[in-house]
Amino acid sequence: MGSAEEIQMEMHGWSVKMSISRVLAMVTVFSMIPGGVLSDIRGTKGLEAQQMAQGSTHLHRRLKRGWIWKQLFVPEEDPTLRVIGQLKSDSDRGEFSIKYILSGEGAGDVFEIDEYSGEIRTLKKLDREEKAFYVLQAQAINRRSNEPEEPQSEFIITVQDINDNVPQFQNEPYVSSIPEMCPMGTTVAQVTATDADDPMFGNNAKLIYTILQGEPYFSVEPKTGIIVTSWPNMDREAREEYLVVVQVKDMLGLSGGYSSSTTVTVSLTDVNDNGPTFQHHLYTFAVPENAALGTTVGRIMAQDGDTGTNARMTYSLEDDLEESSTFIIQTDPVTQEGVVLLAKPLDYETKRRFVMAAEAVNDHVDTRFLPLEEFTDRTTLKIIVQDVDEPPVFLSPLYEWKVPENAAVGTVVGSVSARDTDTVNNPIRYSIDKRRDTTKAFKIDPNNGTITVAKALDRETSNWHNVTVEAKETTQNHLSSSVVVFVKVLDINDNVPRLARDYQPYICEGTQAGQLIQLLNAVDPDDPVEGHHFYFSMVPEKHINPNFTIRDNQDNTAGIVARRSTFTRKDRTQYLLPVVVADSGSPALSSTTTLTISVCSCQPAGHCPTGGVEALALSMGVSLQTLLGLLVCLVTLTVLSVLMLMLRRHRRKQQEGLEVEVKELELPETVSQKVLYYGELGGGRANLDFCQPVVPLRPHPRRKERRLRREDVRASIRMSLRESHLIGPEDDVFRQFILDRLAEADQDPYVPPFDCLRTYAYEGSGSPTGSLSSLDSLELLPEQPVRNSRPCLVRLTPWYGGGEEDTIF
């Protein structure tokens, strides 16, 4: 108990030194509430549990608390390891019979307990900002019985705060802007600082804001950190940016506290509180008289203290009464200068000076700061025109004349005229630009500019002439200018008409009288104003042409018409017909063309071969394309024949030495059936005794079985044929028979499919005219060799491509 009282005395003395006894008492009360109440609750629950285990009936009896301790505190950042309190049970008599056990947050790591005395000591330095309190549990156990003397109880160790943290500003850096000329008290920005110390314990986290730099223009509210303006009518044009330094202190600004500072950048935004002002009352510019339109004469500038939209302005000109719109002014969007431009040509000899007023007006005005007239300013412009030695000027920008193509050399076409606009009025000489005049068809008088014909003209060669005439001063500068002269050559009737093309008419032998043979057209290089009109006729002769006549269609075309119907190639193959073509010019011109009319035996479509030449094949009605096609076919057949012959010889070599046996079945009188075998042995002779395959037969492993099967087939055929008078070809028996034979042939790989032709025929007996087959007339002879006989040979279609293969019946 003595040690616990000493610790309590030390803690009490430390609390007095900090001068915060009231606050400590309040914290102690609030801290003890959860420990004591929770300890009682947990103790009650522990006792109830023991009673339930012992079978006690007094479950709701509340026991008196047997723990003795006070609220425990430990200052943060204290490097001394010390006893901070003691836990003791009222049943402890100092005999060390009770063992104290500590558990919970920090037990064994931050705090430890003396198991005999119950003293609690710190094991390391604590930081309240890291953890403000610790919740622990204590037990008192009887060492002899190892039974709890007191129920487990919970208590709290509170870490007391000290001012060990510096306040820090948040959301740095601070940048703000306000309009210039704003009233006092305008909010600029708000700065915010935080302190990690306990705001509920003393003044450690109580902050105060002050201005270190920025007065008298700005001030700050001490508790909120709001910065406001404290100076009226701040002018951006005088100062655009301010740096305000704000300091924050904890401990309510008392000594011993911590502080920090931050900088707030405050910019003044522009308002339209300035109008444009010209720096000069008179601007003088000079421009040469030959300056091109759009030339920049000069620039003027009205100063405006504002920026951006508030500095934009529009310039305008007010010309004097004598001349208007000679110059214009535009605003440069980048520099806000007024650019004076030339809008009309200048002439020093006409006007040498221009005086005008220029005005600049703000695009956006704000009457809160200035009256309306303050946003406008005026100045005077004086523009002097400089004299320039100019080249001669033609009286017309271009010349266009007409001349007939039969004009004689020396004929005057026209005259050009130029003058010197300068006051000196220098003499001028004319010439034709030879670099551009390739025809050399005209020449010019160098003194008066008269242009004449230099050589004969031809409209059909060139109907337009472009001549460039140059006028040059005779002074030392030799200034010159040029103009284009267009000369149109007029047409005269100096070309004879001719037929449009080289006609090659022909007449068919079967042509009738009055039939049109050829349609004629004419052309003429001339180009009369009223258009061409041609007349077609025959050469006047003493006797009228009995064969042909020319019919003028009065539309610049004519037709050659046959006058008789007796044209034949035997009589005459060609006729000559002169054709006269005349135009409607003045005087009229004409030409005569002799056409050759050929007589030909036309094809059915009415086409006559070119030039009247007829080949023998064409006279037979066969065209050249047909002959070519036949020739290709003949060549193809020849090649195929050679290939077939080579194949046949190859097969003949393979078939040598083989024999073919032909056997016929005995058929009733009403039925004829025959199996035909055709083939050939060396030399091309047919043989009835053997069916010869294309390739040599391999030894058949089941030849004997096939032979027996064939005997059964023959027996079935005989039986079926005997009953054929009751059934027909559509009967199922015949149909199944054919299908069986077909399947047998398809599935047997040893049956040669190339040389043998099996024909099954059936002839009924119901025809009143009798059978037309010759099979009934054949007498059945006993089997005997037929190699020496001469059988009847019948030529079949060459299935194998051989030309000499025969079929033997």
Side-chain angles (χ1 to χ4, degrees):
M1 291 297 291
S3 300
E5 291 177 356
E6 290 177 1
I7 294 173
Q8 291 178 0
M9 290 294 294
E10 291 179 0
M11 293 178 62
H12 179 70
W14 181 81
S15 300
V16 171
K17 290 180 181 180
M18 295 299 293
S19 301
I20 51 174
S21 57
R22 290 184 180 181
V23 177
L24 182 60
M26 293 177 64
V27 173
T28 302
V29 171
F30 284 107
S31 301
M32 291 178 62
I33 289 176
V37 175
L38 187 58
S39 298
D40 292 341
I41 294 175
R42 294 187 177 182
T44 303
K45 289 183 178 181
L47 180 61
E48 290 176 356
Q50 294 177 4
Q51 292 176 355
M52 290 179 66
Q54 297 174 1
S56 176
T57 58
H58 303 284
L59 299 179
H60 301 287
R61 185 171 60 87
R62 181 179 180 86
L63 298 178
K64 182 180 179 181
R65 177 179 177 276
W67 286 99
I68 300 174
W69 71 74
K70 294 182 180 180
Q71 181 67 28
L72 303 181
F73 297 93
V74 56
E76 67 170 331
E77 305 297 339
D78 186 1
T80 304
L81 303 181
R82 63 177 63 190
V83 177
I84 61 175
Q86 183 180 17
L87 301 180
K88 187 175 182 180
S89 173
D90 56 359
S91 61
D92 188 356
R93 299 292 183 265
E95 300 174 354
F96 305 107
S97 61
I98 297 178
K99 180 181 180 180
Y100 296 96
I101 300 175
L102 184 66
S103 62
E105 295 178 345
D109 181 23
V110 180
F111 307 99
E112 67 175 1
I113 189 170
D114 189 335
E115 63 178 6
Y116 296 99
S117 63
E119 293 180 345
I120 299 176
R121 299 182 180 86
T122 59
L123 298 178
K124 64 179 181 179
K125 182 174 60 175
L126 302 180
D127 186 4
R128 190 205 67 84
E129 285 72 36
E130 181 179 350
K131 189 171 181 62
F133 61 90
Y134 295 85
V135 179
L136 297 100
Q137 293 82 31
Q139 291 181 350
I141 300 175
N142 191 304
R143 293 181 180 272
R144 297 187 182 90
S145 62
N146 203 23
E147 295 292 336
E149 287 288 338
E150 302 289 346
Q152 180 176 343
S153 180
E154 183 178 84
F155 64 96
I156 297 175
I157 299 177
T158 303
V159 181
Q160 291 181 338
D161 181 55
I162 64 174
N163 189 18
D164 59 344
N165 289 279
V166 179
Q168 300 291 332
F169 281 98
Q170 305 296 318
N171 304 321
E172 290 184 307
Y174 293 97
V175 178
S176 180
S177 61
I178 57 175
E180 63 173 330
M181 311 298 292
C182 62
M184 293 178 57
T186 301
T187 300
V188 177
Q190 182 178 11
V191 295
T192 303
T194 59
D195 196 320
D197 293 326
D198 188 0
M200 304 298 296
F201 187 78
N203 297 325
N204 294 343
K206 298 297 189 295
L207 305 179
I208 295 296
Y209 299 93
T210 57
I211 288 283
L212 296 183
Q213 175 182 327
E215 294 178 338
Y217 303 101
F218 303 95
S219 62
V220 63
E221 295 182 3
K223 294 183 179 181
T224 61
I226 297 176
I227 302 173
V228 297
T229 58
S230 58
W231 190 267
N233 301 328
M234 287 189 292
D235 190 4
R236 186 198 66 83
E237 287 74 31
R239 184 176 179 181
E240 186 175 1
E241 185 177 271
Y242 296 85
L243 297 179
V244 180
V245 179
V246 180
Q247 184 185 57
V248 61
K249 283 187 176 183
D250 57 9
M251 299 291 293
L252 293 176
L254 300 177
S255 61
Y258 293 100
S259 66
S260 62
S261 62
T262 187
T263 302
V264 181
T265 303
V266 182
S267 300
L268 299 182
T269 59
D270 184 64
V271 298
N272 197 1
D273 58 344
N274 293 277
T277 303
F278 286 104
Q279 301 300 315
H280 305 281
H281 296 289
L282 176 64
Y283 292 87
T284 303
F285 304 105
V287 57
E289 62 173 331
N290 61 347
L293 299 182
T295 300
T296 299
V297 177
R299 290 173 175 260
I300 60 176
M301 180 67 181
Q303 299 295 332
D304 192 324
D306 299 322
T307 60
T309 304
N310 298 324
R312 293 180 182 176
M313 63 191 74
T314 301
Y315 296 89
S316 60
L317 294 178
E318 295 182 3
D319 292 345
D320 53 14
L321 299 178
E322 298 180 2
E323 189 71 27
S324 61
S325 303
T326 304
F327 303 92
I328 60 174
I329 189 170
Q330 296 178 352
T331 303
D332 190 326
V334 179
T335 63
Q336 292 297 309
E337 293 178 312
V339 183
V340 182
L341 304 174
L342 179 62
K344 290 184 178 181
L346 300 175
D347 187 7
Y348 174 81
E349 290 72 26
T350 303
K351 188 175 181 62
R352 305 181 180 181
R353 187 179 65 174
F354 294 86
V355 178
M356 62 198 75
E359 184 179 57
V361 181
N362 272 138
D363 293 343
H364 304 279
V365 298
D366 193 343
T367 55
R368 295 179 302 172
F369 306 103
L370 292 175
L372 185 61
E373 60 271 9
E374 294 292 334
F375 295 100
T376 303
D377 196 19
R378 297 169 66 89
T379 188
T380 302
L381 297 182
K382 182 178 180 181
I383 301 176
I384 299 175
V385 181
Q386 297 175 339
D387 186 25
V388 176
D389 189 7
E390 299 173 307
V393 177
F394 284 93
L395 301 182
S396 177
L398 59 88
Y399 296 87
E400 184 175 345
W401 301 320
K402 298 178 181 179
V403 59
E405 63 177 323
N406 62 347
V409 176
T411 302
V412 176
V413 180
S415 297
V416 297
S417 179
R419 67 180 182 88
D420 185 7
T421 57
D422 298 324
T423 55
V424 181
N425 195 11
N426 296 316
I428 297 172
R429 294 293 181 266
Y430 301 95
S431 62
I432 294 178
D433 190 352
K434 296 181 180 180
R435 296 172 298 178
R436 302 180 182 179
D437 185 18
T438 58
T439 60
K440 306 291 190 300
F442 304 94
K443 64 180 181 179
I444 189 172
D445 189 327
N447 296 317
N448 56 21
T450 301
I451 298 177
T452 58
V453 178
K455 66 178 183 179
L457 304 176
D458 185 9
R459 189 202 66 84
E460 287 70 34
T461 302
S462 179
N463 58 349
W464 278 94
H465 293 270
N466 300 335
V467 180
T468 301
V469 177
E470 184 180 24
K472 182 181 296 185
E473 295 180 359
T474 59
T475 59
Q476 183 178 1
N477 294 332
H478 297 289
L479 298 179
S480 64
S481 60
S482 60
V483 70
V484 179
V485 177
F486 299 97
V487 180
K488 181 179 181 180
V489 181
L490 301 178
D491 181 55
I492 62 171
N493 193 21
D494 58 345
N495 291 277
V496 297
R498 299 183 182 277
L499 293 179
R501 59 185 178 87
D502 184 15
Y503 292 99
Q504 295 181 359
Y506 65 91
I507 183 171
C508 298
E509 290 182 332
T511 301
Q512 301 295 323
Q515 187 173 346
L516 178 64
I517 298 175
Q518 180 70 56
L519 185 66
L520 303 178
N521 288 280
V523 293
D524 192 335
D526 294 326
D527 187 17
V529 179
E530 64 278 1
H532 285 293
H533 189 80
F534 301 115
Y535 303 95
F536 299 86
S537 62
M538 300 179 63
V539 176
E541 295 181 352
K542 297 180 179 179
H543 303 285
I544 299 175
N545 191 325
N547 302 313
F548 307 97
T549 185
I550 295 179
R551 181 187 301 163
D552 196 334
N553 298 326
Q554 300 299 320
D555 60 353
N556 291 341
T557 64
I560 301 176
V561 180
R563 300 191 64 178
R564 62 185 179 89
S565 305
T566 59
F567 294 96
T568 60
R569 291 180 54 81
K570 296 180 180 180
D571 297 339
R572 191 170 179 180
T573 59
Q574 291 183 346
Y575 293 88
L576 300 180
L577 178 64
V579 179
V580 179
V581 183
D583 59 17
S584 59
S586 178
L589 300 179
S590 64
S591 65
T592 302
T593 304
T594 302
L595 299 179
T596 300
I597 302 176
S598 302
V599 180
C600 69
S601 55
C602 297
Q603 296 180 3
H607 173 68
C608 182
T610 304
V613 179
E614 298 173 343
L616 177 60
L618 297 178
S619 64
M620 296 175 64
V622 181
S623 62
L624 181 58
Q625 291 82 356
T626 305
L627 290 176
L628 292 177
L630 291 175
L631 181 59
V632 173
C633 291
L634 290 175
V635 173
T636 305
L637 290 176
T638 303
V639 175
L640 291 177
S641 299
V642 172
L643 294 177
M644 291 296 183
L645 181 59
M646 294 175 64
L647 181 61
R648 178 185 167 204
R649 291 180 178 178
H650 178 69
R651 289 176 178 174
R652 184 178 301 170
K653 292 179 180 180
Q654 292 179 347
Q655 294 173 356
E656 290 180 355
L658 299 179
E659 295 181 355
V660 180
E661 180 181 0
V662 179
K663 296 183 180 181
E664 298 182 357
L665 300 178
E666 296 180 1
L667 302 177
E669 296 179 356
T670 58
V671 178
S672 296
Q673 175 174 315
K674 200 165 190 179
V675 180
L676 305 181
Y677 295 85
Y678 72 96
E680 58 183 0
L681 293 174
R685 291 186 177 182
N687 198 316
L688 292 174
D689 296 330
F690 298 95
C691 177
Q692 301 173 356
V694 176
V695 296
L697 295 177
R698 293 177 292 176
H700 202 302
R702 294 184 296 177
R703 187 180 302 273
K704 186 175 182 179
E705 296 179 3
R706 281 197 307 167
R707 188 172 301 169
L708 295 177
R709 189 166 59 252
R710 289 180 181 176
E711 294 297 331
D712 295 338
V713 171
R714 292 177 182 177
S716 62
I717 292 174
R718 292 192 188 96
M719 183 178 298
S720 300
L721 293 178
R722 291 192 186 99
E723 298 176 358
S724 62
H725 64 281
L726 299 177
I727 59 179
E730 301 297 327
D731 188 75
D732 294 337
V733 177
F734 279 85
R735 185 179 304 170
Q736 187 63 36
F737 174 77
I738 297 301
L739 294 177
D740 293 340
R741 301 292 78 76
L742 179 61
E744 179 184 1
D746 292 339
Q747 297 176 1
D748 192 354
Y750 297 92
V751 176
F754 316 112
D755 318 308
C756 300
L757 171 64
R758 300 181 180 181
T759 304
Y760 301 92
Y762 169 76
E763 295 184 7
S765 59
S767 176
T769 60
S771 176
L772 299 179
S773 175
S774 61
L775 297 177
D776 292 340
S777 61
L778 179 63
E779 296 181 0
L780 297 176
L781 299 177
E783 296 181 0
Q784 57 184 352
V786 293
R787 297 180 181 178
N788 299 329
S789 61
R790 297 291 298 176
C792 179
L793 302 179
V794 180
R795 178 81 59 181
L796 294 180
T797 303
W799 294 317
Y800 300 115
E804 298 180 1
E805 291 184 354
D806 299 332
T807 302
I808 304 175
F809 288 89

